[in-house]
């Protein structure tokens, strides 16, 4: 069987700037530096991401799915999109003041997401009752929705 060569070339820089009214959001200063799976290689070929808050204080992300997130040829792996939604929607709950982990993440994949394209992740904290915080979100570009999710976050018990 023919051995496939791995392409080790690093992709060129991408524009992750936000929209008018968005302010940069410093995720590591809130939750520490553990979020390396999605955010850990800002110049690499997996994901490149930058966080913002919009003028309604909701968390937004600009994210580039690199060649290492490939699933169907030329498009993002569903698990790669789910990982992004796990991180961004969980982080949205933290940014709203809730110390949580994600208990349940329900993702619907709506359209194939082409690789090496900058897209937006939108989030909205829709409710907080007792230990349960519900966050909704989606990965989109303009009118096109690639994936949408409902994320049940559970506040961490005091030790
Ligand atoms: C640890 C420090 C973390 C720091 C992180 C910083 C970065 C974070 C950035 C974030 C980005 C990264 C994000 C990530 O990647 S977070 C990583 C991915 N998530 C996990 O690994 C979480 C693993 N699971 C757990 O730790 C526990 O199961 C939790 C804490 C979730 C609940 O176990 P706990 O024993 O504490 O609570 P409980 O079982 O009494 O349940 C309490 C209530 O909740 C309801 N319920 C529970 N689960 C579910 C479910 N699946 N569907 C529906 N409902 C569920 C349950 O019915 C009950 O309701 P009620 O009966 O009261 O009505």
């Amino acid at each position: 069987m023919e051995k496939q060569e791995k392409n080790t070339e690093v992709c060129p820089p991408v524009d992750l700037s936000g929209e008018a009214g968005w302010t940069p959001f410093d995720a590591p200063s809130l939750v520490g530096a553990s979020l390396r799976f999605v955010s850990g290689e800002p110049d690499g070929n997996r994901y490149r991401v930058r966080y913002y808050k919009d003028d309604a204080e909701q968390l937004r992300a600009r994210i580039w799915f690199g060649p290492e997130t490939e699933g169907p040829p030329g498009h993002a792996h569903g698990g790669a999109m789910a990982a992004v939604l796990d991180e961004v929607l969980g982080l949205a709950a933290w940014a709203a003041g809730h110390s949580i982990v994600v208990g349940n993440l329900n993702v619907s994949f709506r359209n194939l997401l082409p690789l090496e394209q900058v897209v937006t992740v939108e989030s909205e904290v829709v409710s907080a009752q007792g230990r349960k915080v519900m966050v909704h979100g989606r990965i989109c570009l303009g009118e096109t929705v690639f994936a949408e999710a409902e994320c049940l976050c559970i506040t961490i018990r005091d030790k």
Side-chain angles (χ1 to χ4, degrees):
M1 206 171 114
E2 204 177 301
K3 199 177 162 199
Q4 276 197 330
E5 286 296 319
K6 192 177 176 204
N7 184 355
T8 52
E9 256 179 58
V10 178
C11 296
V14 295
D15 180 6
L16 296 172
S17 48
E19 291 179 14
W22 292 11
T23 51
F25 178 77
D26 183 358
S29 75
L30 177 66
V31 297
S34 67
L35 298 178
R36 290 189 299 274
F37 183 65
V38 172
S39 305
E41 290 179 15
D43 304 309
N45 279 356
R46 192 166 65 230
Y47 304 102
R48 300 179 190 176
V49 59
R50 200 172 297 164
Y51 286 107
Y52 299 90
K53 275 198 168 177
D54 69 11
D55 43 16
E57 289 292 297
Q58 300 287 357
L59 192 71
R60 296 279 179 266
R62 283 280 206 237
I63 182 154
W64 173 88
F65 285 76
E68 289 176 9
T69 67
E70 188 171 36
H75 296 85
H77 194 291
M81 287 190 262
V84 164
L85 288 162
D86 180 47
E87 173 161 324
V88 179
L89 303 195
L91 196 53
W94 276 82
H98 306 283
S99 304
I100 57 84
V101 287
V102 172
N104 179 267
L105 182 66
N106 186 0
V107 182
S108 297
F109 301 105
R110 298 297 186 193
N111 281 288
L112 287 164
L113 194 171
L115 294 177
E116 296 186 50
Q117 179 169 292
V118 175
V119 294
T120 299
V121 187
E122 299 176 350
S123 73
E124 184 185 4
V125 178
V126 295
S127 66
Q129 286 180 323
R131 295 181 59 207
K132 298 177 187 175
V133 181
M134 181 59 78
V135 185
H136 289 178
R138 58 192 200 155
I139 302 173
C140 55
L141 181 64
E143 296 299 303
T144 306
V145 176
F146 301 104
E148 53 194 354
E150 297 158 355
C151 179
L152 174 66
C153 303
I154 309 291
T155 56
I156 302 161
R157 287 181 202 274
D158 288 335
K159 288 260 156 60

